[in-house]
Amino acid sequence: MSEAATRPTAHATALLASLDPLLREWLPRQRWFAGKGRPISAFEPVAVTELLPRSSPAGLLHLLVRIRQPIVPAQDAPLDAAAAERPGDCYQLLIGVRRTLPPQLASALIGHVTEGPLAGQTVYEALHDPRLSALLLERLRMPGRHGVLRFERDMSAGIPSGLTPRPLAAEQSNSSIVYGDTFILKLFRRVVPGVNPDLEIPLHLARQGCARVPAPAAWFLADLTSGAATTDEACGLGVLQPYLAGAEDGWELALRRLDKGEDFTGEARALGRATAEVHAALAAALPTVTLGRVQVERVADAMAQRLAAAAQAVPALRPYAPGLLTAFEALADLGGEGQSWTAQRVHGDLHLGQCLRSPDGHWSIIDFEGEPARPLAERRMPQPPVRDVAGMLRSFDYAACTGEPWAAEWAADCRAAYCVGYADVAGLDPRTDPVLLRAHETDKAVYEVLYEARHRPDWLAVPLAAARRLAGDGSADAAL
Ligand SMILES: Nc1ncnc2c1ncn2[C@@H]1O[C@H](COP(=O)(O)OP(=O)(O)O)[C@@H](O)[C@H]1O
Ligand SMILES: O=P(O)(O)O[C@H]1O[C@H](CO)[C@@H](O[C@H]2O[C@H](CO)[C@@H](O)[C@H](O)[C@H]2O)[C@H](O)[C@H]1O
């Protein structure tokens, strides 16, 4: 959201000020809050919408809040070190308001407000209140505007009223509510202006008749720029999709198979086919481009820069950096020799956890947001489809690394089967372009090193092992 885009009213400012001390304490404890470990210098209202007026028994406030945090050099290495503050992230909050909180909502408590427009009220995480999440579903069933919020739906999708809501317990980057095991509403937490690919891509795939993605039934957005009325300028806030009841994600399934010493190549091949089907539908729905010499050099250069930033932030990666760099140099060289590649919209963060297997064995793919840390414009750029292939190949490695002893053969078989499945549909095996594949797998492993160092330091050894392998440098063993 640009600074000019928002004009908070005096009421919105006063309301947020009354919540300030409570949010300072509550927000950093939320799984989806990306700014953990840094103090919060200020909250600024972007938009405040009263979805349900404060009346008996509960009110519902929809808040878009920008959070200012000072720069912490150790965590913000790739950011401008001279800046004192990070550009404020904007979050979506749904706040329930009651005089007193019933015991069954005790775990949802944010706190008791002592002053300002909400003085004397108790505020809490609204998604835990069935009354309020039911109201959200009702709002989604009826297209129209509510303040800055715009509700839209696919009128051909029947959405029954009265479905029982329950918040999804999964540890997520966003928050989801399941309605009657029929629909799932994903609410984006950290929001940025512009088209949200997690709404955009499923809508395009559904229109292409691609059955690999649950088709959006309803969604809502915020129009924040003055006079903005087009989806292009609006900011995606939530999407309601069919819930795949009884589905298991590919990560859990792969680990279970590994645990029992069971084969996963049949599933890996099916996943390769599903990926290629999604790619074919995306290439048909959205523009494709040819990456010639200049573009390939740019791609290789961006990969090299990401490697340099990651090596700066994670010292354990440094011994492998020279070897890893050769993957990007080889890509740039091929581009220089006149080789070109086709780029298109892709998933962008494909891994086993993004693949859901229904009880009938059908694989679906979810979560098209891309790598959360990347800027939106970058996530929406056409890329060689091998980017997703590389993500999945890394995922088989990850799964094998959790096994004891390291199940290298299991991973190698899955990786091969996945590529064969991809070729079944695409007509081309991704391994026939080893330079492109190695560059993308290396780029993904570098991303994972940074991701694990920041979010799950206990897992850092997994992508570091891949970095060592991809660097092809046996002498680096000694550095581990
Ligand atoms: N259509 C669906 N049907 C069944 N479960 C789903 C569906 N969409 C998401 N889920 C479940 O919700 C979890 C989180 O969804 P995801 O889109 O990955 O959210 P996040 O971006 O917050 O990680 C998934 O791991 C999966 O278990
Ligand atoms: O699912 P998200 O969009 O939140 O993706 C992020 O988190 C993933 C971990 O939950 C991370 O994936 C990495 O770990 C997976 C095992 O937990 C593994 O299967 C993936 O291959 C590996 O990249 C993902 O990179 C990150 O963006």
Side-chain angles (χ1 to χ4, degrees):
M1 256 123 279
S2 73
E3 305 285 333
T6 59
R7 289 194 207 93
T9 62
H11 175 70
T13 306
L15 195 131
L16 195 60
S18 73
L19 294 175
D20 185 308
L22 302 177
L23 293 180
R24 266 172 209 274
E25 206 271 315
W26 177 78
L27 255 176
R29 288 190 276 119
Q30 305 313 302
R31 159 74 164 90
W32 40 262
F33 181 60
K36 292 192 183 73
R38 301 185 189 92
I40 293 172
S41 36
F43 291 107
E44 289 162 13
V46 172
V48 174
T49 312
E50 213 170 13
L51 275 172
L52 181 66
R54 241 173 307 140
S55 56
S56 185
L60 176 58
L61 281 176
H62 181 280
L63 304 185
L64 292 172
V65 180
R66 186 180 295 115
I67 297 170
R68 300 282 183 194
Q69 294 186 286
I71 292 274
V72 175
Q75 291 177 33
D76 295 308
L79 291 172
D80 177 7
E85 221 176 35
R86 304 177 80 233
D89 285 335
C90 179
Y91 285 88
Q92 172 173 217
L93 310 180
L94 282 124
I95 307 285
V97 184
R98 289 181 185 246
R99 277 254 156 229
T100 49
L101 207 56
Q104 65 273 23
L105 288 177
S107 64
L109 177 73
I110 297 176
H112 307 287
V113 188
T114 53
E115 41 189 65
L118 292 175
Q121 302 284 340
T122 301
V123 290
Y124 61 101
E125 166 58 90
L127 306 185
H128 290 259
D129 185 343
R131 183 185 289 264
L132 298 182
S133 24
L135 181 119
L136 210 51
L137 180 67
E138 274 315 295
R139 202 62 203 79
L140 283 158
R141 293 179 68 239
M142 292 177 297
R145 288 177 178 277
H146 197 135
V148 297
L149 305 181
R150 177 153 44 96
F151 293 83
E152 297 182 352
R153 68 174 278 193
D154 170 3
M155 293 312 282
S156 68
I159 309 174
S161 67
L163 296 171
T164 307
R166 65 174 165 91
L168 199 72
E171 285 276 294
Q172 288 181 255
S173 317
N174 296 289
S175 296
S176 299
I177 307 173
V178 176
Y179 290 96
D181 275 1
T182 311
F183 285 100
I184 181 166
L185 171 63
K186 178 170 174 177
L187 293 151
F188 303 113
R189 288 300 195 165
R190 194 152 64 97
V191 295
V192 285
V195 179
N196 187 322
D198 207 8
L199 170 60
E200 177 196 25
I201 299 265
L203 276 175
H204 278 291
L205 289 172
R207 284 168 195 154
Q208 285 293 319
C210 176
R212 294 296 180 179
V213 174
W219 52 94
F220 72 113
L221 318 115
D223 291 316
L224 293 166
T225 39
S226 42
T230 64
T231 305
D232 264 23
E233 289 172 36
C235 155
L237 296 177
V239 54
L240 185 78
Q241 287 168 295
Y243 182 69
L244 306 169
E248 184 171 27
D249 80 48
W251 176 251
E252 291 163 11
L253 188 63
L255 292 195
R256 228 189 33 248
R257 294 275 175 89
L258 249 175
D259 219 36
K260 295 181 184 164
E262 286 175 6
D263 175 65
F264 195 67
T265 55
E267 301 299 352
R269 185 164 177 172
L271 281 166
R273 284 197 290 266
T275 309
E277 278 177 34
V278 166
H279 284 166
L282 283 175
L286 291 157
T288 62
V289 295
T290 301
L291 301 180
R293 187 178 61 80
V294 175
Q295 292 86 351
V296 173
E297 276 171 7
R298 238 179 249 153
V299 167
D301 191 46
M303 288 173 168
Q305 282 181 28
R306 287 195 282 271
L307 170 63
Q312 196 198 334
V314 187
L317 182 64
R318 289 177 198 162
Y320 314 120
L324 296 174
L325 191 60
T326 62
F328 309 143
E329 288 166 348
L331 180 65
D333 286 350
L334 270 194
E337 285 165 22
Q339 183 151 344
S340 61
W341 286 278
T342 301
Q344 61 161 92
R345 295 295 299 278
V346 297
H347 181 285
D349 191 18
L350 194 58
H351 57 81
L352 281 162
Q354 317 280 37
C355 306
L356 300 183
R357 186 183 182 275
S358 294
D360 64 0
H362 180 83
W363 282 102
S364 301
I365 295 179
I366 58 165
D367 199 359
F368 285 80
E369 263 190 302
E371 287 168 1
R374 285 200 196 221
L376 178 66
E378 228 177 84
R379 289 189 264 138
R380 294 187 63 225
M381 260 167 25
Q383 316 203 37
V386 76
R387 181 172 184 82
D388 287 343
V389 171
M392 285 299 290
L393 298 186
R394 292 286 315 115
S395 214
F396 295 121
D397 247 12
Y398 254 76
C401 276
T402 67
E404 210 41 74
W406 195 74
E409 205 179 318
W410 184 95
D413 290 348
C414 287
R415 289 161 60 94
Y418 178 79
C419 290
V420 169
Y422 193 91
D424 287 343
V425 173
L428 198 71
D429 189 315
R431 291 170 297 180
T432 53
D433 206 340
V435 171
L436 190 67
L437 186 56
R438 178 172 166 237
H440 280 86
E441 214 189 324
T442 303
D443 189 44
K444 190 72 192 179
V446 167
Y447 163 82
E448 289 167 343
V449 166
L450 204 53
Y451 178 87
E452 302 300 2
R454 284 186 174 162
H455 299 275
R456 305 185 296 191
D458 290 355
W459 290 59
L460 186 55
V462 177
L464 278 179
R468 186 180 57 202
R469 175 174 59 79
L470 288 158
D473 178 5
S475 66
D477 280 357
L480 251 191

